[in-house]
């Protein structure tokens, strides 16, 4: 009996430890590379101290430059030739990885991702989303369950934080488990450890 209690405590402890949110690490080079990317060809929009400070601020917390590069490729030149537009693009890409953003955008019609508001809104839905969570969700979802802005918001809102792949596989174990969007969303919700209010202040 005593051994069973010890084992149960150990399992609970390990589970809680695995479930803790872990903030992603920001590489040192990304801020300066982000500023260079946004201001290259837009020197006039980065000419004043005020404009440049805004761009530098937006360029913090970039995990890589993939999100910014992809966003600028999706948008017309007219949606990225003002410092406020450049700021909006960079701001929406904070804590968004390029791989996640590219995969999500590829699932959408080009008509759902061809203006600044659409692209930055979608980017914002991918804040702190890990590749593992997105890939796990896509492995269970049909194409029609992940091909609109509404689908992406609903599914990705359950991927904000540190994802436990083993937990998700366990939740979806069974032939008929996780075979529609509702079931996938419910499984993701049980297997994600999101940032606390304190974590959010630090990020």
């Amino acid at each position: 009996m005593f051994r069973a209690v010890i084992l149960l405590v150990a399992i609970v402890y390990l589970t809680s430890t695995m479930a803790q949110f872990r903030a992603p690490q920001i590489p040192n080079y990304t801020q300066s590379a982000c500023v260079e990317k946004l201001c290259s060809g837009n020197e006039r929009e980065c000419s004043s101290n005020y404009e440049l400070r805004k761009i530098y601020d937006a360029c913090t917390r970039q995990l890589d430059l993939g999100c910014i590069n992809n966003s600028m490729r999706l948008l017309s030149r007219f949606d990225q030739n003002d410092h406020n537009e450049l700021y909006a693009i960079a701001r929406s890409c904070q804590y968004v990885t390029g791989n996640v953003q590219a995969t999500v955008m590829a699932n959408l019609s080009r008509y759902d991702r061809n203006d600044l508001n659409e692209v930055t809104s979608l980017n914002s839905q991918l804040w702190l989303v890990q590749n593992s969570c997105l890939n796990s969700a896509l492995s269970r979802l049909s194409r029609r369950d992940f091909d609109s802005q509404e689908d992406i918001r609903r599914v990705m809102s359950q991927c904000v934080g540190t994802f436990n792949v083993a937990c998700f596989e366990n939740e979806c174990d069974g032939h008929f488990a996780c075979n529609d969007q509702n079931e996938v969303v419910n499984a993701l919700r049980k297997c994600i450890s999101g940032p606390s209010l304190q974590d959010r202040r630090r990020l």
Side-chain angles (χ1 to χ4, degrees), residues 100-110 112-113 134 138 142-144 146-148 152:
V100 165
Q101 194 242 23
T103 301
V104 167
M105 294 298 182
N107 278 270
L108 285 170
S109 160
R110 64 187 179 90
D112 285 329
R113 50 174 174 77
L134 173 61
L138 289 178
S142 67
R143 181 63 185 251
R144 67 177 180 274
F146 199 74
D147 65 353
S148 72
I152 287 165

Side-chain angles (χ1 to χ4, degrees), residues 16-97:
S16 63
T17 302
M18 289 173 60
Q20 288 179 349
F21 169 74
R22 294 186 298 277
Q25 297 299 305
I26 303 296
N28 292 330
Y29 71 90
T30 52
Q31 184 179 31
S32 58
C34 167
V35 173
E36 183 179 352
K37 173 68 178 178
L38 293 176
C39 292
S40 176
N42 290 294
E43 289 83 1
R44 188 176 63 179
E45 299 304 319
C46 301
S47 59
S48 77
N49 288 335
Y50 169 74
E51 291 163 348
L52 197 55
R53 275 200 306 271
K54 280 190 69 174
I55 298 297
Y56 263 100
D57 177 64
C59 280
T60 59
R61 306 174 185 90
Q62 303 293 331
L63 296 174
D64 56 48
L65 293 189
C67 177
I68 289 173
N69 289 332
N70 295 337
S71 297
M72 294 180 81
R73 278 195 293 267
L74 289 170
L75 294 170
S76 74
R77 184 65 184 168
F78 301 106
D79 276 333
Q80 48 183 296
N81 63 357
D82 173 88
H83 79 273
N84 289 317
E85 292 166 344
L86 298 174
Y87 174 84
I89 292 168
R91 185 81 175 172
S92 73
C93 283
Q94 291 181 345
Y95 286 113
V96 178
T97 70

Side-chain angles (χ1 to χ4, degrees), residues 136-185:
S136 293
L138 289 178
S139 72
R140 298 286 178 165
L141 291 168
S142 67
R143 181 63 185 251
R144 67 177 180 274
D145 280 334
F146 199 74
D147 65 353
S148 72
Q149 294 186 36
E150 292 73 24
D151 292 334
I152 287 165
R153 288 189 184 95
R154 182 159 191 255
V155 176
M156 292 295 91
S157 66
Q158 305 307 320
C159 277
V160 178
T162 301
F163 183 63
N164 186 330
V165 177
C167 166
F168 181 80
E169 292 302 322
N170 185 59
E171 288 293 326
C172 293
D173 187 29
H175 184 64
F176 296 107
C178 295
N179 62 356
D180 66 29
Q181 189 184 95
N182 288 332
E183 292 175 357
V184 170
V185 165

